[in-house]
Amino acid sequence: MERTLSIIKPDAVKRGLIGEVVKRLEQNQLNIVAMKMIHMTKDQAKGFYAVHQERPFFESLTDFMISGPAVVMVLEGDNVIARYRELMGATNYEEAAEGTIRREFATDIEKNVVHGSDASETAAFEISYFFNSFEIVN
Ligand code: ATP
Ligand code: MG
């Protein structure tokens, strides 16, 4: 069993896509074991995306992530990190495979609807960044 962190980003919450994303998670056996709505502060967004702090898009990315509420979730299942990345599609929606969440709903390389952890170490860091153990169901 593996866990990963999912975020429905502010662009998707604003556009009424929470249900659409959650439906796809449920249909693909990406089990939700924790879920809440948050509105990140700038410091919180910067800490979350600290790996990207030297990138030219860091300032814009962290502004986007605080532009409205987001939904953070913990997903659990076999090989869930890779399976959820596959369901999301490539970072750039124009390169994402047909039928993926980003291909269908993203409007921009930055405003790409969802986030998913990319490895088990980053998943552990990202889950503990938003959830304590009492907030994750067994
Ligand atoms: P995420 O970490 O959000 O799941 P990812 O792992 O597919 O996405 P990363 O390379 O980690 O992609 O980039 C983090 C986020 O930064 C992207 O999801 C996107 O919102 C934004 N981003 C990435 N590359 C660019 C870019 N070239 N220009 C603008 N924004 C970008
Ligand atoms: Mg990433």
Side-chain angles (χ1 to χ4, degrees):
M1 273 298 187
E2 198 175 63
R3 284 177 175 173
T4 193
L5 184 85
S6 162
I7 304 180
I8 303 176
K9 295 184 180 182
D11 60 325
V13 173
K14 274 197 189 104
R15 291 165 60 207
L17 294 173
I18 296 173
E20 187 64 50
V21 174
V22 169
K23 181 182 79 183
R24 284 161 186 253
L25 298 177
E26 291 179 330
Q27 284 174 341
N28 288 278
Q29 286 74 50
L30 298 163
N31 301 318
I32 300 167
V33 292
M35 184 179 209
K36 63 186 169 189
M37 183 174 272
I38 59 166
H39 193 154
M40 280 184 233
T41 64
K42 183 77 171 175
D43 280 348
Q44 207 176 8
K46 282 172 143 176
F48 180 73
Y49 276 125
V51 290
H52 294 315
Q53 62 193 355
E54 305 302 333
R55 303 283 197 95
F57 57 80
F58 182 68
E59 201 51 42
S60 171
L61 172 62
T62 50
D63 279 343
F64 161 54
M65 293 302 286
I66 69 167
S67 65
V71 173
V72 287
M73 291 174 279
V74 179
L75 311 179
E76 187 177 80
D78 288 331
N79 198 26
V80 73
I81 295 173
R83 287 198 297 125
Y84 176 49
R85 297 277 296 184
E86 202 178 317
L87 190 75
M88 289 197 302
T91 311
N92 182 353
Y93 73 103
E94 292 174 310
E95 291 163 11
E98 287 296 337
T100 60
I101 294 171
R102 284 169 168 170
R103 179 59 176 248
E104 295 210 2
F105 301 108
T107 54
D108 184 290
I109 190 169
E110 177 180 86
K111 296 172 184 62
N112 60 3
V113 183
V114 279
H115 163 82
S117 311
D118 59 11
S120 57
E121 304 74 47
T122 43
F125 165 75
E126 292 176 359
I127 290 167
S128 65
Y129 197 78
F130 292 114
F131 294 95
N132 68 50
S133 59
F134 302 107
E135 295 174 305
I136 303 172
V137 300
N138 280 306

